[in-house]
Amino acid sequence: MIRPAASSARIVVLSGAGLSAESGLGTFRDAGGLWARYDLEEVATPQGFARDPALVHDFYNARRANMTASAPNAAHEALARLSRRDGVTLVTQNIDDLLERAGARGVVHMHGDLSRALCHACGARWDAPAVMSPEAPCPDCGAAATRPDVVWFGEMPYRMEEIETALAAADLFVSVGTSGTVYPAAGFAALARAAGARTLELNLDPSGGDFDEVRTGPATQLVPGWVDEVMG
Ligand code: APR
């Protein structure tokens, strides 16, 4: 049992698709997950987007609609409460906005944000419309070059310097609902441990990663209880 963090402890929480699973958003690698139903090469790579931008927009338009129709769950709400404590960095691999809708502040979306759009001609970013299409012009430069502001395989995740700085200073690293299969996120526990942090996994199916403690169960049962331990 990892001692509840002291009030001054610096905590980094990494979340994955398991955090939003109980809100009805699919995971990727569980049975029936997104990558069992879609070819990630076609819908989650720059090459796939170049080949068929309409297919990729359709894929993210459907996920955006599902996200909008979903609601934050008790785990999002607990992490939102934790985010108001000093010394906490919430990093998520998820592109949904459920943490923000639960009231979380300063969420670091390392794989981007489905509610945002990006122009790959001029780099402009804006709030994504419900439905995006290849023909829609960029509101800044007018080019028909818009894409969801998400990070695809083969692209650099966002805000890595900020994340690595937080990991290097962490007293506690907590991984919530991620299979730990995609780098660089899969290497965060080792980075935090190398800097002297204790490490805890909260997951439905343990990832097998090297954690000081692993608690197994659904996020809505594990996360609120853990946040209560930390917040006292
Ligand atoms: N509560 C907690 N954890 C859960 C729940 C739940 N209700 N349901 C599933 N999980 C866990 C699974 O046990 C698994 O460890 O969520 C994890 C889902 O793993 P993946 O589907 O691989 O999702 P994730 O780890 O977020 O994937 C990482 O891969 O495809 C890319 O960019 C994509 O950000 C994603 C990255």
Side-chain angles (χ1 to χ4, degrees):
M1 170 80 171
I2 288 187
R3 296 180 319 285
S7 59
S8 60
R10 288 161 301 202
I11 304 172
V12 176
V13 181
L14 170 70
S15 55
L19 175 67
S20 299
E22 291 161 272
S23 294
L25 299 189
T27 61
F28 296 93
R29 297 172 182 84
D30 291 323
L34 277 167
W35 297 149
R37 290 179 282 127
Y38 294 90
D39 177 352
L40 70 84
E41 293 294 334
E42 288 183 356
V43 295
T45 62
Q47 297 78 6
F49 184 68
R51 272 195 303 274
D52 190 344
L55 174 73
V56 174
H57 276 302
D58 288 348
F59 174 69
Y60 287 97
N61 288 339
R63 292 182 66 190
R64 190 176 301 108
N66 190 18
M67 171 182 82
T68 305
S70 303
N73 62 50
H76 295 108
E77 286 160 2
L79 291 182
R81 187 157 53 92
L82 181 71
S83 74
R84 291 190 281 278
R85 173 195 181 279
D86 287 343
V88 171
T89 305
L90 295 187
V91 181
T92 188
Q93 299 172 95
N94 298 342
I95 59 176
D96 64 62
D97 60 356
L98 295 180
L99 278 167
E100 287 84 355
R101 286 162 58 191
R105 294 186 311 199
V107 180
V108 180
H109 280 271
M110 65 180 288
H111 288 168
D113 184 344
L114 194 53
S115 56
R116 298 285 283 168
L118 167 67
C119 173
H120 58 82
C122 74
R125 284 184 166 85
W126 62 96
D127 288 340
V131 178
M132 293 186 72
S133 73
E135 300 74 31
C138 165
D140 277 30
C141 74
T146 63
R147 58 173 277 185
D149 187 15
V150 299
V151 176
W152 287 324
F153 288 95
E155 295 183 322
M156 270 306 289
Y158 292 160
R159 302 174 65 179
M160 281 306 296
E161 197 173 320
E162 184 181 338
I163 293 168
E164 287 160 355
T165 302
L167 291 170
D171 300 297
L172 176 60
F173 173 78
V174 184
S175 175
V176 178
T178 178
S179 61
T181 46
V182 175
Y183 283 83
F188 287 176
L191 281 179
R193 174 193 290 279
R198 305 282 287 159
T199 57
L200 167 66
E201 180 177 39
L202 307 176
N203 207 347
L204 189 63
D205 302 315
S207 64
D210 184 9
F211 292 92
D212 294 310
E213 182 186 355
V214 176
R215 298 181 191 177
T216 305
T220 55
Q221 289 178 26
L222 294 178
V223 178
W226 170 70
V227 170
D228 287 343
E229 288 171 24
V230 171
M231 303 288 278

